[in-house]
Amino acid sequence: FHGRDVDQIIRDLVEVSINVTKQKLRKKLKKQIAKTVEEKILRSLVGQSKEDIGKWREHLRDGQLEDMTIEFEVQVKEPEQNVETIAQHLAKFGKYHHRVEKKKMKISEARPIIEEMEMDNHIKNEDIIKEAIRAVEQDGMVFIDEIDKICTSPENRHSGDASSEGVQRDLLPII
C-alpha cells in the first residue's frame, strides 16, 4: 500500500532533513559570516579608510558601538511570484534583480539582518534540498507497521492478533 499517508510521511521526513541541513550549514559558516558582517558594519562606519578600521574594529568587538546608527543595503523580498512572472521578467531584462533599499538602524538591530542576508548569499536552496534528499535516502527511516498484512492474503490470516502472525511474529523477538 502506497497512499497519501506514506507520501506525507516522506514529505515530513524531507522537511525535517532540510531544516537539519540548514542548521548544519549555518553552524559550519558561522565564523565566516561573522567576519563578513563585521567588515560590512565597519565599511558602513568608516568607509574604505584602512587606517581607521583597526581602531573601530576594536571598539566594535568590545560592544562599544552597538548603539551607533549605520546605513546599509537590504534586499527586499518580493511577494511570492509564480514562475511565469519571473520568466517574463528574465525575458524582458535578461536578469532577475532583487529590489534593494537603504536602511538606517542601530548596529545591534542591523547585525542579525546582515547575518541573515549573508547566510542567504552563502547557502543556496538547491544545494540544501539536494543534500537533504541525499540524507533522507541514505539515513532516513520509516517504520512499517503491520507489514504482515501486506505480505499475506486475507485467507491466510487466522488470528485477530497481528503480532501473532507472519512477519511481525518473526520480527518482534528480534526488536
Side-chain angles (χ1 to χ4, degrees):
F1 172 72
H2 179 33
R4 285 183 299 191
D5 293 339
V6 175
D7 289 341
Q8 188 59 48
I9 289 168
I10 300 303
R11 270 192 232 97
D12 291 346
L13 190 58
V14 170
E15 187 176 317
V16 167
S17 181
I18 287 171
N19 290 333
V20 168
T21 303
K22 274 184 186 177
Q23 288 173 351
K24 284 180 183 178
L25 285 171
R26 284 177 181 273
K27 198 176 212 180
K28 185 178 173 183
L29 293 171
K30 191 171 180 90
K31 287 181 182 178
Q32 180 183 350
I33 297 298
K35 278 184 176 179
T36 305
V37 169
E38 182 179 82
E39 287 301 315
K40 284 192 174 219
I41 291 171
L42 288 169
R43 297 284 175 225
S44 261
L45 287 169
V46 296
Q48 301 299 323
S49 171
K50 294 189 184 256
E51 300 156 3
D52 296 335
I53 284 187
K55 297 177 215 170
W56 286 92
R57 185 182 314 276
E58 231 176 270
H59 294 301
L60 183 63
R61 288 181 178 169
D62 291 340
Q64 298 171 356
L65 306 177
E66 294 298 301
D67 291 330
M68 286 190 73
T69 301
I70 60 169
E71 184 176 38
F72 61 100
E73 290 183 346
V74 179
Q75 286 182 353
V76 177
K77 294 190 178 180
E78 301 292 335
E80 290 295 320
Q81 295 181 346
N82 61 27
V83 177
E84 289 176 24
T85 307
I86 294 171
Q88 288 171 354
H89 186 84
L90 286 171
K92 195 174 193 180
F93 300 110
K95 292 182 182 176
Y96 189 76
H97 295 286
H98 292 283
R99 199 166 47 108
V100 176
E101 284 182 2
K102 288 201 178 248
K103 295 240 180 193
K104 282 186 178 185
M105 58 179 66
K106 292 180 180 182
I107 291 174
S108 59
E109 297 166 348
R111 183 177 281 113
I113 295 169
I114 298 171
E115 284 174 355
E116 191 62 34
M117 288 186 327
E118 286 302 313
M119 281 292 181
D120 289 346
N121 289 340
H122 282 78
I123 300 174
K124 302 296 179 219
N125 277 340
E126 302 86 41
D127 297 338
I128 291 172
I129 292 170
K130 283 180 188 175
E131 177 59 26
I133 289 172
R134 189 211 58 77
V136 167
E137 290 172 347
Q138 299 301 313
D139 305 325
M141 279 191 223
V142 175
F143 291 93
I144 302 170
D145 189 18
E146 298 187 20
I147 195 166
D148 58 328
K149 297 221 177 18
I150 297 167
C151 297
T152 62
S153 64
E155 304 88 50
N156 294 340
R157 285 194 211 127
H158 304 291
S159 161
D161 182 17
S163 62
S164 69
E165 298 177 8
V167 177
Q168 275 194 354
R169 180 194 65 227
D170 297 336
L171 288 176
L172 283 175
I174 296 170
I175 297 172

